[in-house]
Amino acid sequence: MLETIGERVSLIRKSKNPKMTQAEFADSINMSRSNLANLENDRYRITDRVISDICAVHNVNRAWLETGEGEMFADISRTEKLAMFVAQALAGKP
């Protein structure tokens, strides 16, 4: 089990896309790359806004992010998956 929230954030980033940079992940949650690096290295205390953004944007289970317990990613319905796909397509994201 990953001990710190910083370790879990790093794992989320790498699980979504092994080549995703800190800058790309930080941009997706409206955060600077340097703040994300500090968060991943546990030099920065994560805020509720950042937790909410990570969970919403990357479909992360909030309980897992905060405690390390349960599944990393939240279960989503087929309709929610379709809505996310359409939203990404409309935004021009892969």
Side-chain angles (χ1 to χ4, degrees), residues 29-40:
I29 57 170
N30 301 309
M31 169 181 253
S32 72
R33 192 223 43 91
S34 61
N35 279 348
L36 178 64
N38 284 327
L39 192 152
E40 286 187 359

Side-chain angles (χ1 to χ4, degrees), residues 34-92:
S34 61
N35 279 348
L36 178 64
N38 284 327
L39 192 152
E40 286 187 359
N41 290 304
D42 295 305
R43 292 185 297 250
Y44 176 82
R45 186 175 172 276
I46 194 166
T47 65
D48 189 57
R49 187 219 36 107
V50 172
I51 290 172
S52 294
D53 286 353
I54 289 171
C55 293
V57 172
H58 297 285
N59 192 41
V60 171
N61 176 349
R62 187 180 184 108
W64 179 85
L65 180 56
E66 293 179 331
T67 68
E69 296 178 11
E71 297 295 319
M72 181 188 313
F73 295 106
D75 288 333
I76 59 174
S77 70
R78 181 179 167 93
T79 302
E80 289 170 317
K81 286 179 186 177
L82 181 58
M84 288 171 54
F85 174 78
V86 169
Q88 288 176 339
L90 292 173

